[in-house]
Amino acid sequence: MKVRKAIIPAAGLGTRLLPATKAMAKEMLPIVDVPTIQFLVEEAKAAGIEDILIITGKGKRPIEDHFDSVPELEMVLKKRHKDKLLKLVESTTDIGVRLFFIRQSYPKGLGDAVRLAQDFVADEPFVVMLGDDITQSKIPLTKQLMNDYDKTHASTLAVVKVPHDEVSKYGVIKPVAETEKGLYNVQSFVEKPKPDQAPSDLAIIGRYLFTPEIFDSLNIQKPDAGGEIQLTDAIDHMNKTQRVFAREFTGKRYDTGNKLGYLTTNIEFGLQHPEIKDELRDYIIKLGHKLSQN
């Protein structure tokens, strides 16, 4: 069955980016001039996804507004012959995929957010995309997972190799075997293990492709000590009855979920931005000279 649907959970509180996220959805924080959530939607579209369900919560209304039309703004830009800006604004409305929205009323974790999409997904395979990760590669990461599914018809997660002392920040896989280059059959999953207990350095990042059977595991999953339904635990449970694979991503990954990652992502994208890349590069060079003299 073709993968046509994607889910973007966007109901999180964004505590690692406070106070900026106190009154603003973290998914709307810009990378130079583009909200992070737009990168996900564009990746999904490039992969061939047709329908996207965005799961929002309190204070997340700007996400819906971003993808809606703003006739007043468009009229002003048109009158002032700001054709380039007008086209840019219109491109966030006419995006070429169907968007749907649902609210997660209570913060019960990522697993609970995915579980809310069961009616939307029905009996189809689907992709989950998390806003903390922006990726760049010749073949979009979501498309890579879809290509793997075409061969295995099994759930597949994206993983990257991380420094061993950082594994406690991630869910980590215990691979059984590499079935082809970069594609691993997975024995088990461990959520945020201590470095001396981690089964590998392959950490799960924010792209998943699931068969609908994931809901069977989510629906029986008990909340953890913090009252949240953990997606990793549900994946580990599902893996006991059917194969789950992991695709190692070797492209460029940007972690925008913490302050340092968010800042460095803006710098790197700024150095690629046609309007500011030259001035930004000059500024960084001058700053480097200044710092070296101190």
Side-chain angles (χ1 to χ4, degrees):
M1 183 178 292
K2 181 183 177 183
V3 181
R4 303 184 305 113
K5 298 179 178 179
I7 299 166
I8 301 178
L13 299 176
T15 53
R16 290 187 294 171
L17 291 171
L18 284 169
T21 50
K22 178 182 177 181
M24 175 183 286
K26 70 174 183 177
E27 296 81 9
M28 289 302 296
L29 291 175
I31 305 301
V32 185
D33 55 2
V34 178
T36 55
I37 196 166
Q38 187 170 324
F39 287 98
L40 301 190
V41 172
E42 291 175 353
E43 179 184 325
K45 178 185 176 182
I49 293 295
E50 299 172 8
D51 298 330
I52 300 174
L53 177 66
I54 300 177
I55 301 169
T56 66
K58 183 177 177 59
K60 303 286 186 165
R61 182 59 188 268
I63 295 175
E64 297 183 44
D65 291 341
H66 175 69
F67 293 105
D68 203 353
S69 63
V70 186
E72 299 86 353
L73 174 60
E74 293 170 10
M75 186 178 298
V76 169
L77 293 175
K78 189 174 183 179
K79 286 183 177 179
R80 294 179 180 177
H81 303 289
K82 303 285 187 179
D83 296 336
K84 188 175 180 180
L85 286 176
L86 177 61
K87 185 177 180 180
L88 189 64
V89 169
E90 290 176 337
S91 70
T92 64
T93 303
D94 184 19
I95 56 176
V97 294
R98 291 183 290 267
L99 294 182
F100 304 85
F101 297 88
I102 188 173
R103 288 176 66 93
Q104 184 184 26
S105 300
Y106 300 97
K108 295 181 180 179
L110 178 58
D112 179 67
V114 173
R115 187 169 58 179
L116 293 175
Q118 186 166 4
D119 289 341
F120 172 79
V121 169
D123 59 351
E124 298 183 35
F126 64 101
V127 174
V128 175
M129 311 174 71
L130 303 186
D132 286 349
D133 290 303
I134 295 175
T135 63
Q136 288 182 331
S137 58
K138 185 175 181 180
I139 300 175
L141 178 51
T142 294
K143 182 60 176 175
Q144 292 182 33
L145 298 181
M146 292 165 64
N147 290 342
D148 288 331
Y149 175 80
D150 289 340
K151 293 178 286 187
T152 65
H153 301 290
S155 296
T156 307
L157 322 177
V159 296
V160 295
K161 285 187 177 179
V162 298
H164 189 69
D165 59 357
E166 295 184 10
V167 292
S168 60
K169 301 177 183 178
Y170 301 89
V172 175
I173 70 167
K174 182 177 182 180
V176 177
E178 193 172 14
T179 60
E180 63 176 63
K181 185 173 177 57
L183 185 65
Y184 298 88
N185 203 337
V186 182
Q187 178 177 325
S188 61
F189 304 83
V190 184
E191 181 66 22
K192 298 181 178 178
K194 295 179 180 179
D196 61 347
Q197 298 174 352
S200 75
D201 294 335
L202 292 170
I204 303 169
I205 59 172
R207 300 293 186 276
Y208 311 77
L209 191 152
F210 291 121
T211 60
E213 285 78 15
I214 187 63
F215 294 112
D216 295 333
S217 296
L218 284 170
N219 288 332
I220 64 171
Q221 198 68 43
K222 294 182 179 180
D224 64 8
E228 296 188 346
I229 303 295
Q230 293 294 340
L231 180 60
T232 303
D233 292 341
I235 298 169
D236 195 42
H237 178 272
M238 181 177 66
N239 192 41
K240 292 177 171 60
T241 59
Q242 61 179 263
R243 296 181 305 166
V244 176
F245 291 88
R247 162 59 62 183
E248 183 179 355
F249 179 60
T250 57
K252 181 64 178 178
R253 172 205 174 216
Y254 301 90
D255 182 359
T256 63
N258 63 81
K259 292 172 184 175
L260 179 60
Y262 176 73
L263 287 173
T264 55
T265 299
N266 266 281
I267 292 171
E268 291 202 33
F269 274 77
L271 290 171
Q272 301 171 32
H273 197 290
E275 293 180 21
I276 65 170
K277 62 181 182 180
D278 294 333
E279 291 178 82
L280 180 59
R281 186 185 301 109
D282 291 342
Y283 170 76
I284 292 173
I285 293 171
K286 291 177 183 177
L287 181 62
H289 289 322
K290 182 178 180 181
L291 291 174
S292 65
Q293 295 170 359
N294 293 337

